[in-house]
């Protein structure tokens, strides 16, 4: 699965990845406020190819009114899945607070409120992408994801790094595995996939049937050919 990446996963890049065998993929993330207020870039972010198969869209934000309205808008558009971003670690996002800042304990109430608003306004499958909450102890991440499941989320993708780690360091596959074992909804593993071997290791150690590729596809759409070929 190709991850939603701001500034990268536009239609031309997705078509390059599809040509190498990719099927499941997302648009770049769309900001809820930008969507509600008609930002001129929205068209490029949300544009879907005429013959594109499965495509999800990822929503970013934390202002309740914008979240509610943008969820309604996306529900009227042509996407297979609506995903909510709780994984972006960039300071310009987390200081709002949005993205991975919603994983901070002081923002959990807001995070779950946003989930409730989206769930109530979309009839499409609804997923959430998060990061782990603790590298050593799976319990906080498991508890958080159980709450997401109780609110009607249809699936969770977990980037196995802490917010402060950004994109560096090891991936906490044991934490992802603990979440997968605790939920009845699908769990997709994400983090550090730059080759078939990386994907195989992440799948084996996490026990997840779904693997999300992010930076490993940048400049290398052939990674999906390699994943399909098992090479």
């Amino acid at each position: 699965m190709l991850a939603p990446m701001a500034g990268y996963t536009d239609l031309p890049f997705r078509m390059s990845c599809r040509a190498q065998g990719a099927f499941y993929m997302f648009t770049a993330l769309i900001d809820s406020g930008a969507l509600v207020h008609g930002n001129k870039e929205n068209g490029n972010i949300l544009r879907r190819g005429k013959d594109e198969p499965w495509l999800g869209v990822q929503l970013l934000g934390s202002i309740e009114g914008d979240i509610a309205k943008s969820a309604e808008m996306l529900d009227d558009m042509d996407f297979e899945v609506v995903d909510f971003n709780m994984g972006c670690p960039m300071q310009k996002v987390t200081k709002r607070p949005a993205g991975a800042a919603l994983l901070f304990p002081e923002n959990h109430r807001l995070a779950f409120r946003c989930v409730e608003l989206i769930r109530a306004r979309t009839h499409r499958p609804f997923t959430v992408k998060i990061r782990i909450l603790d590298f050593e102890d799976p319990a906080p991440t498991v508890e958080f994801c159980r709450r997401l499941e109780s609110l009607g989320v249809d699936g969770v993708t977990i980037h196995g790094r802490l917010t402060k780690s950004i994109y560096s360091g090891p991936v906490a596959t044991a934490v992802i595995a603990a979440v997968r074992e605790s939920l009845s909804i699908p769990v997709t593993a994400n983090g550090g996939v730059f080759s078939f071997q990386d994907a195989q290791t992440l799948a084996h150690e996490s026990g997840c049937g779904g693997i999300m590729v992010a930076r490993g596809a940048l400049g290398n759409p052939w990674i999906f050919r390699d994943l399909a070929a098992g090479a």
Side-chain angles (χ1 to χ4, degrees):
M1 183 178 291
L2 176 65
M5 291 182 283
Y8 291 103
T9 51
D10 55 12
L11 178 58
F13 181 68
R14 294 196 307 270
M15 296 309 293
S16 296
C17 292
R18 291 193 189 281
Q20 300 302 320
F23 181 81
Y24 297 101
M25 53 185 62
F26 286 82
T27 67
L29 61 85
I30 183 82
D31 183 271
S32 59
L35 183 57
V36 168
H37 300 290
N39 187 286
K40 64 180 181 180
E41 294 299 322
N42 291 345
N44 288 331
I45 294 172
L46 298 173
R47 184 159 59 107
R48 182 171 187 164
K50 182 178 179 180
D51 299 319
E52 268 198 287
W54 199 99
L55 184 63
V57 61
Q58 188 185 70
L59 185 64
L60 173 77
S62 62
I63 297 174
E64 293 184 22
D66 288 347
I67 288 289
K69 179 60 178 176
S70 58
E72 292 175 353
M73 294 171 70
L74 290 176
D75 196 50
D76 289 334
M77 299 180 189
D78 184 22
F79 296 106
E80 274 65 42
V81 168
V82 174
D83 187 75
F84 185 47
N85 184 304
M86 292 193 200
C88 180
M90 296 295 100
Q91 186 178 16
K92 66 179 181 180
V93 171
T94 58
K95 70 180 181 182
R96 294 166 54 174
L102 294 174
L103 302 175
F104 301 160
E106 64 269 23
N107 294 326
H108 283 187
R109 179 177 296 182
L110 175 60
F112 297 137
R113 178 57 180 158
C114 289
V115 169
E116 290 174 334
L117 290 169
I118 298 170
R119 178 70 284 175
R121 288 162 176 79
T122 181
H123 296 87
R124 302 183 186 281
F126 170 40
T127 59
V128 177
K129 188 172 188 291
I130 71 167
R131 285 172 172 256
I132 59 169
L133 280 73
D134 188 289
F135 192 86
E136 300 294 339
D137 182 8
T141 311
V142 169
E143 181 181 358
F144 190 90
C145 290
R146 281 178 172 166
R147 182 65 187 279
L148 294 178
E149 183 177 34
S150 74
L151 293 174
V153 168
D154 297 303
V156 179
T157 298
I158 305 176
H159 183 151
R161 294 187 177 100
L162 295 168
T163 300
K164 66 181 182 181
S165 299
I166 312 295
Y167 302 114
S168 65
V171 174
T173 54
V175 175
I176 301 175
V179 174
R180 180 192 58 78
E181 293 166 0
S182 300
L183 303 186
S184 60
I185 57 176
V187 176
T188 300
N190 172 230
V193 177
F194 290 85
S195 67
F196 169 74
Q197 183 60 55
D198 293 336
Q200 189 177 48
T201 299
L202 182 58
H204 175 73
E205 294 183 0
S206 69
C208 292
I211 300 297
M212 182 173 280
V213 181
R215 293 176 303 127
L218 299 182
N220 183 28
W222 303 280
I223 190 172
F224 292 103
R225 177 198 62 195
D226 296 342
L227 294 177

